[in-house]
Amino acid sequence: MRRILAIANIAIHSAVRSRMVVCLIALLAIAVIGLPLTIKGDGTIEGQLRITITYSLGAAFALLALASLWAGALSIAREIEDKQIQLLATKPVRRAEIWIGKWLGLMIVNTALLLAVAIATGLLLPREKLAAQTKEGAAAWNAVHRSIAPLNEDRADEARTQLAQRRAAGQIPENVDDSTALRAIQQELIVRAATVAPGQQRTWQIQLPRVLQPDETIRLRFRYSTSAMGLDAVRGRWIIGTPAQPVIWQASSENTPEIYQSIAVPAKALANERDLTVTFVNEDPAGTTLVFNPQDGLRLLIPAGTFLANYTRAIVLLLLRLGFLTALGVTAGAIFSSPVALFVALALMFISYTADYATLDYDTPQSRITTLITAPSRLIQMALSPLGTPPALEAVASGLQVETAWLLRIAGIQFLLYGGALAALGTRMLNRRELAMPAI
Amino acid sequence: MNRWTTILLIALFLAGLFGAARLNEPLREARREYGISQADPLVNAPPLVVFSTVALGGFRGIIADILWVRSARLQEEGRYFELVQLADWITKLEPRFTSVWAYHAWNLSYNISVLLKRPEERWRWVRSGISLLRDEGLRYNPGNARLFYELGWLFQHKLGGNSDTAADFYRRQWAAEMAELWDGPTPDFDTLIKAPQNTHALLAQPDVAALIAQLQSANRDPYSPARIAEARVAAPDDPLRSPAGQQLIAFLRLRALRDTYKLDPAVMRELDSRYGPLDWRLPQAHAIYWAHQSQLVATHEFDQISADRMIFQSLGDAFRQGSLYTDPKRGIFIQSPNPALAPRVLAAYDDTLKRFAGTESILEAKAHFMREAIIVYYTFNQLDAARNLFQQLRTQFPALAPEPDFETFVREEFLARQQSIPPDTALAIINGALVQSAFWKVNGDPARAEGYDHLAQLTWTAYHERLKTQPPPPPPPPPLPSLDTLRQQAAKEVAP
Amino acid sequence: MSEEAIIQADGLTKHFRDFWRRPKVAAVQEVSFEVKRGEVFGLLGPNGSGKSTTIKMLLGLLHPTRGTLRVLGRDPRDVRAKSRVGYLPEESYLYPYLTAEETLEFYGKLFDIAPAERRTRIAQLLEMIGLSHARRRTVGEFSKGMMRRIGLAQALINDPDLIILDEPTSGLDPIGCRQMKDLIVTLAKRGKTILLSSHLLADVEDVCDRVMILYNGKVQASGPIQDLLEVRTRTRVWLPSELDAATMRRVLDAVRSALGAEPELDHPRKDLEQFFLEVVERARRETTEASGVGVASAVAPFLSATDTTKPAP
């Protein structure tokens, strides 16, 4: 441990002395102090707070991510090129200790900078202005909600029944195989379930993770599109109840389509319930048909702690993510020489950022050749899929809880599993590597 | 390499450099001429823009791209407010990226405004879209035909049109703002043009200087725009009503016109004499103003035609709705046709047709306008003007005016259409016309009152004409046989 | 115990390969040698002869292509071996942003030396190399000589059994060279085993018990320095003082008649190094002012003399 700390200390020294940290601090200061000055917002203080958090912290994090990768990739690679490692490696130090020491040193710098950024951003938020403006505004800002998705409706059985019926009726062409037809039917069912024609209604089942307290206020958050041109508000009625008692609370609403809307619901009558049903009745006089977004058309928001706790969660999540990126950099530096290491690390980071977009869904018939071609990309996709970044800052900014599942994913998969694998790989490569290779 | 070779190569290098340098200026000139230049330095940019464009160097393009990609996602998610911020940043990073200005202004005026319920809130966003183009976009892209056009579009369509339920509110607000700058429909151009150009010129007049000193000692800021409103309601002995006071007010008005609204009274006067008299409180006049600016700088044919089109369309709108009677105190804001403008509209069409000879769509648009104008004349009982215009239509566009004579034309074009109007709409039109008629009678415009009364008559008559020609209602269905008879029939069927 | 082999190399071979793993340079070929405890062993050879490659294999920084190598009875990459080795590299591989003290502190920590002991050792080492006054200055500002001294100090911080010195005198002025050589001799007397490489033959001659001469990666000669350098066909007679002419003639006649050959006569000469050191010493005594670099004191006391019983950590 003493050896790891000594190496970490050197890594910190080296980062600070290389003026990298100074540069970074200057850039972070611009992000945290300068950027909010350029925010015009939408004229509301809530909007300004939201944008400050998303973009100030977002920019600061992006800078830190790049810097971690940079410093990580250079830390070992530079030391090999400057031959300082030739002295270090002749001491009774395990190569793993070198890797961990470098990583730890950079993470100490990262943590210090991220905390400074987080605290500075937190202090610079014009919260008192908000409090001065309206009491409800401040309370709304401080309230954090956990977003509960409706239960997944299993449409597999229905889809299979439909498939059998349509096959029997000869509605499906012969050359379409069952799996393709089934998928198309399932999609059709999803769309149909999301559509609410005039005078019709749609019901969602929601299971709460905890019972509600009578004095709490929950919110319904929804977003729909309409069949009408323009963005005219649509009239409807929201009903919340339980399977046993379908109407406990109801309210009529008139909301603009295309944007997220939310309605406050006092939890008084819903207390002590876990299973809820939410129903929307389309009462639009203009006869507009609505389509709820299948992904996030409806959410029930229940109170979940304070802003500060949520903010802390987001910062922890970002720190864990930095831990992964630093590991990526250090390992790249342990394998390659400095420019190559930097390039590889940056490339991997960009790939990991696009992980959210990496979806492969080939509708090609399975043959040996397509399998051969798609297998590697499927593997890459499988490896990349846990590397996406959950929108933690956006969640904090919009008062939604940074989900525990996100934290677990980042901590468990990105930090421990991928970070550990990178540490093992880096150590192994350092062990195998001859550190005094002459240039030939 | 011997010394002479070295010298020769250096000489060649210098000659090449000199040649390239000589080419540079003509190239820049040419770029400027064809409007493809982004090489001109930014003038008077605020520090943030200078910083972002200089310090970030080439990276600002990448950042702008990232933000632009993100804005697409926000648009999809309907997060228009955040989009405002992104667009603001993008325009700061890439102030010469005209599409972003146009997109940004559109987003503010169209997408965001309609999300809000109260007309005042909507107006705030529409106005910020206008101000974005006028005060910022055009500042970084002076003389950009596209941005002038986009600005004109907001006046023509967002304020002038009826796509937005709050459009009437916007027009009232805009007219109220303009009423600060002049009295009545048309500005007093000469006073505005002759008004002192700056405080220096203003203070050079001893009586004005004295007035200003007097106001200052009374703790009234002489340069505050609030003085304009005060002057309007001031008592006759108020110093603001004195000749010096009028000079000050003229100066304040000119300053607001020029600095806030970016309008040049000389250009306004020129446009008014060419196309007017226009009511400058209405958005059509402003659409024409900005379209004219676009026309002056447009180099591509597409931009030129677009600007021309905006001019004759807005003039057409002014012909239909360009006469305003307003009394904010009583909440009255009535727009009605301005038949006097018809010759101006036709002249504007002819002007465009002269430059873009034989453009089919413009020819058709002109013919269409003429048909419309004839009906307006007709409903306003200006039958001579209507007949006259019909003759012109027949001679100019024989193919587009198949009706043999004026009477047939009126019957086909107006009465036939009137007859297809559903009953409640017909009643609403008649009511509206009669209210207007009564209003104009009281407010001293008997010709207009008569015109509206005529419209009410025509609509009423047309409706009843239709009733006459309507097929008779279907006869009531015959009674059924008695139940007993039917029972017997049924019994027979089962057991014959 | 003094016959214990500290280094055993057998058939040591190192090929460097190119990117495509094709052998490119045979840097060391079939080198075998042994270094015994307490010996001062010299590796001699011109630049590019394979000295450095051999040393880097001894340190575990390069892996032999063929052959076996044991250092202190273990694989050189074993941390237990490394904890008993001290290494002075040919150039400064120190961190330029650390001070002299921080540098020693850092390497001390890597050997897991307890803090109190570490402080004592650092103080003694700084005293020994004459840099106590510069302990707060960063290494980056040091002259080359000062850096070598710090390099030496870090090599000794763990009180090593085996000290590997790569070109120990390079970059040092004659005084520094002399001090270095004296130190090597002292350390050897205290039971340390020392392996050094050099192309300055005089240095090697002065301190080494045994040498091995490498050329082109191969051993050209090796053995105790006495054996290698002794010219057995000739004998030199040293006479205490200037003889008068008659006595000299008699002596020469006797030699001539005994050998039947003509003897050669000359005066012994001081070597230039010794002469230079005397001049400097005289000048130092005359000017009371001390030079920029302090004078090294006696060897650091913690460098134990009785270390043969010390168990490997």
Side-chain angles (χ1 to χ4, degrees):
Chain A
M1 199 59 204
R2 189 178 289 164
R3 288 190 293 270
I4 292 177
L5 287 178
I7 294 170
N9 187 27
I10 289 290
I12 297 171
H13 259 288
S14 140
V16 174
R17 296 298 167 100
S18 68
R19 298 206 189 89
M20 167 132 189
V21 171
V22 182
C23 262
L24 191 58
I25 289 174
L27 288 172
L28 289 176
I30 291 175
V32 172
I33 301 166
L35 201 59
L37 296 179
T38 72
I39 291 175
K40 277 188 175 165
D42 50 13
T44 65
I45 294 175
E46 291 92 330
Q48 189 173 358
L49 286 171
R50 190 163 300 149
I51 291 172
T52 306
I53 290 183
T54 316
Y55 289 92
S56 250
L57 268 182
F61 176 72
L63 285 170
L64 277 174
L66 269 177
S68 307
L69 217 55
W70 186 290
L74 293 187
S75 63
I76 290 185
R78 269 281 164 76
E79 193 149 339
I80 291 175
E81 278 146 39
D82 294 348
K83 301 185 181 166
Q84 286 145 342
I85 200 134
Q86 294 193 25
L87 208 44
L88 180 60
T90 58
K91 307 301 177 201
V93 180
R94 285 184 188 83
R95 302 281 161 103
E97 292 170 333
I98 298 180
W99 192 98
I100 296 172
K102 292 289 177 198
W103 179 87
L104 187 66
L106 293 174
M107 277 313 284
I108 290 171
V109 177
N110 268 335
T111 311
L113 290 176
L114 186 63
L115 282 183
V117 162
I119 292 170
T121 308
L123 292 179
L124 288 173
L125 288 178
R127 295 176 70 182
E128 63 288 353
K129 263 200 227 164
L130 183 61
Q133 196 187 36
T134 56
K135 207 164 255 177
E136 304 83 56
W141 173 255
N142 204 27
V144 176
H145 287 92
R146 179 168 168 191
S147 155
I148 316 283
L151 293 179
N152 256 331
E153 285 149 20
D154 185 22
R155 300 193 182 85
D157 286 341
E158 198 191 339
R160 266 190 294 277
T161 319
Q162 291 247 355
L163 176 68
Q165 281 173 3
R166 292 191 199 183
R167 275 264 187 240
Q171 288 167 339
I172 300 168
E174 290 301 320
N175 59 350
V176 177
D177 63 53
D178 273 4
S179 66
T180 312
L182 198 63
R183 195 157 50 209
I185 291 173
Q186 268 169 349
Q187 279 169 359
E188 191 187 311
L189 290 177
I190 290 172
V191 173
R192 201 178 290 164
T195 309
V196 190
Q200 291 193 340
Q201 62 184 57
R202 159 96 168 98
T203 301
W204 292 265
Q205 312 286 331
I206 293 180
Q207 197 169 44
L208 297 178
R210 62 172 176 85
V211 295
L212 300 171
Q213 302 304 312
D215 57 340
E216 283 180 326
T217 301
I218 61 173
R219 301 188 80 84
L220 269 176
R221 180 164 165 276
F222 54 90
R223 179 182 172 212
Y224 46 63
S225 305
T226 71
S227 57
M229 287 284 287
L231 295 170
D232 289 330
V234 177
R235 204 182 297 162
R237 173 171 300 277
W238 285 98
I239 302 167
I240 302 183
T242 61
Q245 192 189 349
V247 184
I248 295 179
W249 171 93
Q250 60 172 316
S252 59
S253 76
E254 195 163 348
N255 285 292
T256 313
E258 300 301 344
I259 59 172
Y260 290 106
Q261 304 282 5
S262 85
I263 304 180
V265 180
K268 202 167 181 180
L270 302 169
N272 300 321
E273 298 289 350
R274 291 284 299 269
D275 292 300
L276 298 181
T277 58
V278 176
T279 305
F280 177 78
V281 188
N282 182 348
E283 293 179 342
D284 194 47
T288 314
T289 296
L290 298 183
V291 180
F292 284 85
N293 190 337
Q295 261 94 46
D296 62 349
L298 179 88
R299 288 287 184 275
L300 198 66
L301 308 181
I302 63 169
T306 60
F307 174 78
L308 192 62
N310 202 34
Y311 191 59
T312 312
R313 274 173 166 239
I315 299 300
V316 169
L317 190 144
L318 294 185
L319 197 60
L320 290 170
R321 171 91 181 153
L322 282 183
F324 162 73
L325 290 173
T326 309
L328 186 65
V330 174
T331 293
I335 302 175
F336 303 105
S337 59
S338 60
V340 182
L342 199 55
F343 176 78
V344 168
L346 284 174
L348 287 175
M349 184 185 81
F350 282 118
I351 292 172
S352 92
Y353 268 99
T354 56
D356 289 337
Y357 301 96
T359 48
L360 295 171
D361 195 11
Y362 293 116
D363 272 343
T364 47
Q366 290 297 312
S367 75
R368 201 166 294 169
I369 294 171
T370 50
T371 315
L372 208 66
I373 297 170
T374 54
S377 27
R378 277 183 203 284
L379 268 179
I380 293 171
Q381 188 201 354
M382 262 169 60
L384 281 181
S385 55
L387 286 181
T389 3
L393 289 175
E394 287 180 23
V396 171
S398 47
L400 291 177
Q401 192 185 35
V402 173
E403 290 173 23
T404 312
W406 298 351
L407 272 171
L408 288 178
R409 193 176 98 194
I410 295 278
I413 299 182
Q414 285 199 17
F415 188 81
L416 288 177
L417 195 68
Y418 278 63
L422 284 168
L425 176 69
T427 304
R428 178 160 168 71
M429 293 311 288
L430 268 184
N431 260 326
R432 288 186 47 171
R433 198 165 167 180
E434 294 177 287
L435 297 173
M437 232 23 195
I440 50 169
Chain B
M1 197 176 352
N2 69 31
R3 197 192 317 165
W4 288 110
T5 324
T6 314
I7 290 172
L8 187 71
L9 283 177
I10 290 176
L12 263 174
F13 166 73
L14 289 176
L17 203 64
F18 179 73
R22 285 292 300 271
L23 272 177
N24 194 30
E25 203 36 53
L27 272 175
R28 254 174 66 170
E29 216 34 67
R31 286 169 68 94
R32 214 170 286 146
E33 189 183 332
Y34 292 109
I36 53 171
S37 184
Q38 295 207 339
D40 293 336
L42 278 175
V43 186
N44 289 335
L48 183 65
V49 174
V50 174
F51 173 80
S52 70
T53 48
V54 176
L56 291 174
F59 280 110
R60 70 196 161 100
I62 297 173
I63 298 174
D65 283 350
I66 293 173
L67 295 177
W68 190 238
V69 168
R70 186 177 159 82
S71 73
R73 211 184 85 201
L74 295 181
Q75 168 109 39
E76 211 169 88
E77 291 180 6
R79 287 155 67 179
Y80 298 112
F81 289 102
E82 200 171 327
L83 215 50
V84 176
Q85 184 60 57
L86 279 190
D88 182 52
W89 278 328
I90 297 172
T91 54
K92 294 276 181 326
L93 289 166
E94 293 275 6
R96 298 283 171 78
F97 189 175
T98 41
S99 311
V100 181
W101 290 105
Y103 170 74
H104 193 7
W106 174 277
N107 188 34
L108 295 174
S109 299
Y110 280 80
N111 290 336
I112 293 189
S113 65
V114 297
L115 293 180
L116 299 158
K117 291 200 176 86
R118 288 173 35 228
E120 310 87 84
E121 288 177 326
R122 288 191 174 194
W123 171 235
R124 187 161 66 87
W125 287 102
V126 173
R127 213 171 172 290
S128 56
I130 292 173
S131 135
L132 182 81
L133 287 175
R134 187 186 62 198
D135 303 337
E136 294 187 64
L138 280 165
R139 175 172 166 198
Y140 299 119
N141 302 277
N144 184 291
R146 168 89 200 276
L147 293 185
F148 280 130
Y149 177 83
E150 293 289 338
L151 180 53
W153 176 262
L154 291 181
F155 283 105
Q156 185 195 351
H157 186 260
K158 189 70 190 175
L159 267 65
N162 278 321
S163 66
D164 187 336
T165 48
D168 189 55
F169 183 85
Y170 306 156
R171 287 193 285 270
R172 285 170 185 252
Q173 291 298 315
W174 183 253
E177 281 185 38
M178 294 300 110
E180 290 288 299
L181 305 181
W182 58 78
D183 308 310
T186 311
D188 184 355
F189 294 120
D190 296 330
T191 309
L192 285 169
I193 292 168
K194 283 191 206 124
Q197 293 293 308
N198 47 41
T199 46
H200 188 73
L202 185 69
L203 290 168
Q205 305 177 27
D207 53 340
V208 180
L211 172 67
I212 284 171
Q214 185 192 341
L215 286 169
Q216 273 167 341
S217 64
N219 251 344
R220 290 167 77 190
D221 177 8
Y223 301 115
S224 160
R227 300 291 89 82
I228 301 175
E230 277 173 25
R232 199 177 305 122
V233 295
D237 58 340
D238 192 287
L240 286 174
R241 282 285 178 91
S242 67
Q246 279 166 4
Q247 275 293 302
L248 175 64
I249 298 301
F251 165 75
L252 291 176
R253 283 178 159 176
L254 173 66
R255 201 172 60 170
L257 192 68
R258 195 184 51 198
D259 298 350
T260 308
Y261 296 98
K262 311 284 188 287
L263 295 168
D264 181 348
V267 177
M268 289 168 81
R269 181 171 63 179
E270 186 201 327
L271 290 175
D272 198 64
S273 65
R274 191 191 304 171
Y275 300 118
L278 296 167
D279 190 324
W280 286 88
R281 294 169 299 180
L282 287 174
Q284 290 89 14
H286 294 270
I288 291 168
Y289 184 93
W290 295 114
H292 171 71
Q293 297 292 341
S294 178
Q295 209 177 30
L296 288 181
V297 291
T299 47
H300 299 287
E301 192 178 302
F302 176 80
D303 289 338
Q304 289 166 344
I305 291 204
S306 300
D308 275 23
R309 215 174 245 142
M310 184 175 280
I311 288 181
F312 56 67
Q313 283 173 355
S314 297
L315 263 178
D317 289 343
F319 167 78
R320 279 171 218 114
Q321 294 287 322
S323 176
L324 174 68
Y325 180 87
T326 179
D327 186 347
K329 264 180 245 141
R330 289 189 288 157
I332 295 173
F333 189 90
I334 295 172
Q335 282 176 267
S336 55
N338 184 356
L341 282 183
R344 304 289 194 167
V345 184
L346 294 174
Y349 274 109
D350 291 341
D351 179 47
T352 303
L353 284 168
K354 216 181 292 159
R355 283 183 294 129
F356 304 100
T359 311
E360 203 64 34
S361 60
I362 298 172
L363 284 168
E364 275 173 30
K366 186 187 172 192
H368 183 79
F369 174 78
M370 287 169 94
R371 295 172 75 95
E372 203 187 331
I374 295 166
I375 298 302
V376 171
Y377 279 139
Y378 174 74
T379 51
F380 276 80
N381 225 5
Q382 299 186 11
L383 293 177
D384 292 345
R387 278 176 201 283
N388 197 355
L389 196 56
F390 179 74
Q391 284 316 313
Q392 282 183 41
L393 177 69
R394 284 283 290 170
T395 38
Q396 282 179 33
F397 303 100
L400 294 173
E403 297 83 356
D405 52 48
F406 181 68
E407 279 66 30
T408 321
F409 175 82
V410 169
R411 200 170 53 239
E412 302 281 316
E413 185 75 13
F414 180 71
L415 299 176
R417 243 190 260 165
Q418 286 281 314
Q419 286 178 359
S420 65
I421 295 173
D424 0 337
T425 315
L427 188 61
I429 292 176
I430 294 167
N431 276 333
L434 289 176
V435 168
Q436 286 249 14
S437 172
F439 174 84
W440 290 115
K441 206 173 276 168
V442 176
N443 286 288
D445 192 340
R448 206 173 282 269
E450 206 172 310
Y452 274 109
D453 193 69
H454 189 229
L455 175 64
Q457 278 175 44
L458 288 171
T459 310
W460 195 91
T461 318
Y463 183 78
H464 284 91
E465 287 290 320
R466 183 175 58 169
L467 278 192
K468 270 182 232 157
T469 57
Q470 213 120 58
L480 303 174
S482 77
L483 261 180
D484 280 340
T485 322
L486 293 171
R487 272 201 200 99
Q488 283 162 15
Q489 278 173 5
K492 265 182 208 156
E493 251 176 63
V494 178
Chain C
M1 281 304 267
S2 69
E3 283 304 293
E4 182 198 344
I6 297 292
I7 299 174
Q8 284 172 297
D10 193 11
L12 203 55
T13 301
K14 179 69 188 175
H15 290 169
F16 289 118
R17 294 168 193 277
D18 66 3
F19 181 80
W20 309 105
R21 308 207 50 81
R22 291 176 304 202
K24 197 156 181 192
V25 181
V28 173
Q29 299 176 54
E30 298 294 335
V31 169
S32 304
F33 65 98
E34 259 190 23
V35 179
K36 302 269 191 290
R37 175 173 296 282
E39 259 189 319
V40 179
F41 187 86
L43 271 179
L44 270 154
N47 291 335
S49 59
K51 295 185 308 266
S52 270
T53 305
T54 308
I55 284 185
K56 280 166 182 168
M57 284 193 282
L58 287 173
L59 291 163
L61 294 172
L62 291 174
H63 310 332
T65 312
R66 269 198 311 278
T68 57
L69 181 59
R70 309 289 285 174
V71 172
L72 294 155
R74 299 183 193 280
D75 185 292
R77 287 153 73 186
D78 189 327
V79 289
R80 285 171 296 184
K82 287 180 179 179
S83 65
R84 292 166 61 196
V85 175
Y87 166 51
L88 169 66
E90 186 183 349
E91 296 157 41
S92 169
Y93 297 155
L94 304 169
Y95 299 101
Y97 41 79
L98 296 184
T99 64
E101 208 167 37
E102 284 168 347
T103 304
L104 296 179
E105 185 82 9
F106 171 60
Y107 292 109
K109 281 181 187 161
L110 295 184
F111 284 102
D112 238 342
I113 303 168
E117 173 66 13
R118 209 163 58 217
R119 273 194 291 280
T120 321
R121 287 188 183 190
I122 290 169
Q124 289 179 7
L125 281 170
L126 285 171
E127 189 62 32
M128 181 186 103
I129 59 171
L131 286 180
S132 296
H133 65 286
R135 64 179 191 278
R136 294 274 155 78
R137 282 169 62 191
T138 54
V139 171
E141 319 165 9
F142 280 8
S143 69
K144 194 162 182 218
M146 291 162 90
M147 275 204 229
R148 301 274 317 149
R149 288 153 187 262
I150 287 291
L152 181 68
Q154 66 76 27
L156 297 176
I157 189 121
N158 58 327
D159 187 15
D161 297 337
L162 169 62
I163 304 168
I164 296 175
L165 306 168
D166 200 352
E167 304 282 355
T169 55
S170 91
L172 294 180
D173 62 9
I175 305 169
C177 279
R178 183 73 256 159
Q179 288 170 345
M180 177 67 85
K181 285 188 280 189
D182 288 348
L183 180 70
I184 292 170
V185 173
T186 314
L187 289 169
K189 277 189 195 140
R190 294 199 172 197
K192 310 290 185 201
T193 310
I194 294 162
L195 180 138
L196 61 86
S197 80
S198 185
H199 56 266
L200 300 174
L201 307 178
D203 294 348
V204 177
E205 191 184 340
D206 284 354
V207 298
C208 289
D209 302 323
R210 280 200 308 138
V211 297
M212 179 167 79
I213 298 173
L214 287 172
Y215 182 76
N216 225 358
K218 290 183 186 147
V219 179
Q220 306 294 339
S222 74
I225 201 143
Q226 203 57 38
D227 297 2
L228 289 175
L229 297 186
E230 203 168 50
V231 184
R232 291 187 186 276
T233 54
R234 292 170 78 98
T235 303
R236 187 145 63 176
V237 178
W238 295 79
L239 299 175
S241 58
E242 189 87 10
L243 299 178
D244 59 73
T247 319
M248 179 59 94
R249 211 172 302 122
R250 275 210 312 281
V251 171
L252 288 177
D253 284 345
V255 172
R256 228 175 265 131
S257 65
L259 292 178
E262 189 64 27
E264 287 168 36
L265 268 190
D266 63 1
H267 292 291
R269 286 170 55 174
K270 290 177 195 167
D271 62 22
L272 185 58
E273 182 189 359
Q274 203 186 338
F275 176 71
F276 176 81
L277 289 172
E278 279 170 22
V279 171
V280 172
E281 180 60 19
R282 204 183 314 132
R284 198 180 66 81
R285 252 183 271 122
E286 280 163 16
T287 59
T288 48
E289 196 191 73
S291 63
V293 175
V295 181
S297 69
V299 79
F302 79 87
L303 295 166
S304 56
T306 55
D307 55 353
T308 45
T309 54
K310 196 168 67 182

